[in-house]
Amino acid sequence: MSLIPLIRRRTRLLAASLLAVAIAVPISAITTTADASATTGVVAAAATALPCDIYASGGTPCETAHSTTRALFASYNGPLYQIQRASDGSYLNISVTAAGGVANAAPQTSFCAGTTCTITKIYDQTANHNDLPISWGGYWKGPGPNGADVGANAMALPLTIGGSTAYGVKVSQGVGYRVDNAKNVPTGSAPEGVYMVTSSNYVDQYCCFDYGSGENSHTDTGNATMNAIEFGTACWLGGCTGPGPWVEADLENGMYSSNTGPNSSSYQGVNFPFVTAMEKNNGTSNFTLKYANATSAGLTTGYSGSLPKGYSPMKTDSSILLGTGGDNSNSGIGEFFEGAVTAGYPSDATEAAVQANIAAAGYSFGGSSGGGGTSGALHAVGAGKCLDDPNSTTTGGTQQQIYDCNGQANQHWTHTSSGQLTLTVNGTTECLDANNNGTANGTKAIIWTCNGGTNQQWDLNSNGTVTGVQSGLCLDVTGKATTDGALVELWACNGGTNQQWTLS
């Protein structure tokens, strides 16, 4: 992207007859019709086919495939990622439980006990071996030695998949992974598809939480030299509608929700604990953005149309990146669980089948999948932090705050059958409470001994807001602040990102 220091931004269809793999089943058996075009063809796929098997059967094979949670090929039986512990500098590979299986995370738990661990490499599951090591940096320097980026905390993002414990990649500012001159990936104007599973729990407005293709030089080499998914609340070209976050295309010098930049009025944000994000680009005339709740089948198209002016033909380079922009812009944050880059322009039918497989994988936080659980961390979507009881206090009247998510008891909330949000700290259960039964803007959100009052009852709404039953006001991060310690209050609902929450 162009080098603007204040923001640090440098920031068809296939033929009806498709190659079959293993046991053929019609796509109607493994997908839904949320995409109207998804049922226009038939994809023959194995009953045990995983995302990259499905892409291959559609004639658009994965040229890279990365995941810390599961195999992306039914035949894959190797390592998913590598970790290093701080206590003695030793390394450990985390592999799948069996061919086509989920991560075997149990060794990680014991290996990292009493110390910290870093994800140092994410293995490519294709025969190309385009593994992702920690990036050496770029135009924007990272916080590591000699300006390199740093690896993610290996224990920072626990989850379950198919009922088994696994860990995602929590990309904080300065974290980045990259392989240059990747083998066999699309370059120039060759058609390319990208998908990843991410989350709206941890996003920001800065550049760039990307996954896809970028420049080997780690510098901005001009329009159309990137083709990556960007996920966050950045509205780089202005005019956006709604609070976000959005699935966007980072094509270099612009994060595009459409060919002009701004998203459509119907595409105001994607708020799910697990999000499927897809982007495809035919290199000359079209790029398409899709998204879905990654725990339920059915893709939505955010945009499909012409490339932006000055971006045809594409000039995509062959570096594959995760967590930063093309010139190593590293102020973006996000969460990554799995993804792939494909050769060719995937059909709608293929993408629908991939999404159905992702939905069937069983991603969840805290044992609950779907739009959020009844117990877990209450994530402030706009800030990428969690609702936090300061210093685990049990003192009634303490105003609650947001703070970096840490998995501790003072961030673990339960939404009870009576509508209370309870927190058990230091052996005492407290309730989130509208101070002094307040119903006015600015009423403090505090903890107080649970008493059954309506000022302690909360609705968790499908639009991401948390509203007080008594007041009808929204739980709100004061002043749209995103820093640790920002206080939480009640305010009239206004659609702002500081009023967006997910309990997971």
Side-chain angles (χ1 to χ4, degrees), residues 389-443:
D389 179 39
N391 300 313
S392 299
T393 184
T394 58
T395 302
T398 301
Q399 189 169 5
Q400 300 298 277
Q401 64 180 11
I402 58 170
Y403 207 85
D404 276 342
C405 301
N406 56 34
Q408 303 302 310
N410 66 323
Q411 294 182 353
H412 190 91
W413 299 87
T414 298
H415 193 225
T416 69
S417 59
S418 62
Q420 294 175 316
L421 279 165
T422 64
L423 183 77
T424 301
V425 289
N426 296 324
T428 301
T429 299
E430 306 289 330
C431 274
L432 187 67
D433 179 290
N435 186 45
N436 201 29
N437 288 286
T439 58
N441 285 344
T443 297

Side-chain angles (χ1 to χ4, degrees), residues 358-402:
I358 293 168
Y363 276 107
S364 70
F365 288 120
S368 174
S369 60
T374 57
S375 181
L378 190 59
H379 298 265
V381 171
K385 298 182 183 293
C386 283
L387 184 64
D388 178 284
D389 179 39
N391 300 313
S392 299
T393 184
T394 58
T395 302
T398 301
Q399 189 169 5
Q400 300 298 277
Q401 64 180 11
I402 58 170

Side-chain angles (χ1 to χ4, degrees), residues 441 459 461 463-468 471-476 489-501:
N441 285 344
D459 290 326
N461 305 303
N463 65 359
T465 61
V466 177
T467 51
S471 66
L473 300 177
C474 273
L475 194 65
D476 177 291
E489 62 185 5
L490 300 184
W491 202 269
C493 299
N494 55 33
T497 56
N498 62 319
Q499 296 182 347
Q500 296 285 318
W501 306 84

Side-chain angles (χ1 to χ4, degrees), residues 261-429:
N263 55 291
S264 68
S265 60
S266 62
Y267 179 29
Q268 298 193 15
V270 186
N271 287 284
F272 304 111
F274 295 94
V275 173
T276 301
M278 292 182 175
E279 188 265 354
K280 57 184 176 182
N281 188 329
N282 72 3
T284 57
S285 61
N286 175 277
F287 78 104
T288 294
L289 301 168
K290 295 182 182 181
Y291 59 87
N293 181 340
T295 64
S296 61
L299 286 162
T300 298
T301 298
Y303 173 79
S304 184
S306 63
L307 286 161
K309 184 178 180 180
Y311 286 78
S312 178
M314 293 292 294
K315 308 173 187 67
T316 308
D317 211 346
S318 59
S319 181
I320 300 298
L321 52 83
L322 169 62
T324 71
D327 64 357
N328 202 54
S329 299
N330 53 20
S331 291
I333 63 174
E335 297 179 351
F336 177 85
F337 307 102
E338 65 176 78
V341 173
T342 74
Y345 186 83
S347 71
D348 292 336
T350 296
E351 291 173 321
V354 169
Q355 165 56 15
N357 178 267
I358 293 168
Y363 276 107
S364 70
F365 288 120
S368 174
S369 60
T374 57
S375 181
L378 190 59
H379 298 265
V381 171
K385 298 182 183 293
C386 283
L387 184 64
D388 178 284
D389 179 39
N391 300 313
S392 299
T393 184
T394 58
T395 302
T398 301
Q399 189 169 5
Q400 300 298 277
Q401 64 180 11
I402 58 170
Y403 207 85
D404 276 342
C405 301
N406 56 34
Q408 303 302 310
N410 66 323
Q411 294 182 353
H412 190 91
W413 299 87
T414 298
H415 193 225
T416 69
S417 59
S418 62
Q420 294 175 316
L421 279 165
T422 64
L423 183 77
T424 301
V425 289
N426 296 324
T428 301
T429 299

